[in-house]
């Protein structure tokens, strides 16, 4: 079930999480054994270091410019672009500039 977000209301996703200086801000919308949906706002230069997930992770850039590294290869994302970080592959996310994203992980 969705939480932390309005229902039956038109919204702009990138406005649902705010930038904070020197931080990564996250807002969890769903978290269970099957799926996780989280909004993130990265300040410029902030990162989630290399790790692996047991589920496929679908990232959509909502604002700014971010870098996603998968298996040592870098991919730049700008607003409206998406990429899948496959399960059990090392990946990282870096805010090249201020960067907002939606992360959907399917387990």
């Amino acid at each position: 079930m969705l939480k932390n977000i309005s229902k039956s209301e038109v919204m702009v996703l990138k406005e649902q999480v705010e930038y904070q200086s020197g931080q990564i801000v996250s807002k969890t919308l769903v978290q269970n054994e099957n799926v996780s949906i989280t909004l993130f706002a990265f300040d410029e230069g902030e990162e989630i270091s290399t790790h692996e997930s047991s589920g496929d992770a679908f990232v959509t850039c909502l604002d700014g410019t971010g870098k996603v590294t998968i298996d040592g290869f870098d991919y730049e994302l700008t607003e409206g672009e998406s990429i899948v970080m496959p399960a059990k592959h090392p990946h990282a996310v870096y805010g090249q500039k201020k960067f907002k994203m939606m992360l959907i992980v399917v387990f």
Side-chain angles (χ1 to χ4, degrees):
M1 178 165 288
L2 284 171
K3 61 181 181 180
N4 300 320
I5 198 161
S6 299
K7 296 175 179 78
S8 301
E9 180 180 312
V10 175
M11 71 186 85
V12 178
L13 274 179
K14 67 183 179 182
E15 295 174 357
Q16 301 304 305
V17 62
E18 297 299 323
Y19 294 114
Q20 289 189 22
S21 181
Q23 295 186 30
I24 299 171
V25 177
S26 66
K27 183 176 185 178
T28 301
L29 305 181
V30 174
Q31 182 72 52
N32 61 47
E33 65 279 354
N34 299 312
V35 67
S36 169
I37 303 174
T38 309
L39 301 177
F40 287 91
F42 290 71
D43 194 18
E44 184 173 342
E46 294 299 315
E47 71 178 317
I48 297 174
S49 61
T50 302
H51 63 285
E52 293 182 16
S53 172
S54 60
D56 289 327
F58 182 83
V59 174
T60 298
C61 177
L62 303 174
D63 186 50
T65 304
K67 178 177 73 175
V68 173
T69 304
I70 305 169
D71 291 324
F73 293 95
D74 293 337
Y75 304 88
E76 185 176 280
L77 291 180
T78 57
E79 187 172 339
E81 295 180 324
S82 301
I83 193 166
V84 174
M85 301 181 296
K88 300 180 180 150
H89 286 255
H91 58 269
V93 181
Y94 176 75
Q96 286 185 278
K97 298 182 180 176
K98 287 187 174 191
F99 172 59
K100 291 183 182 181
M101 70 179 206
M102 179 173 60
L103 173 67
I104 302 172
V105 182
V106 180
F107 301 100

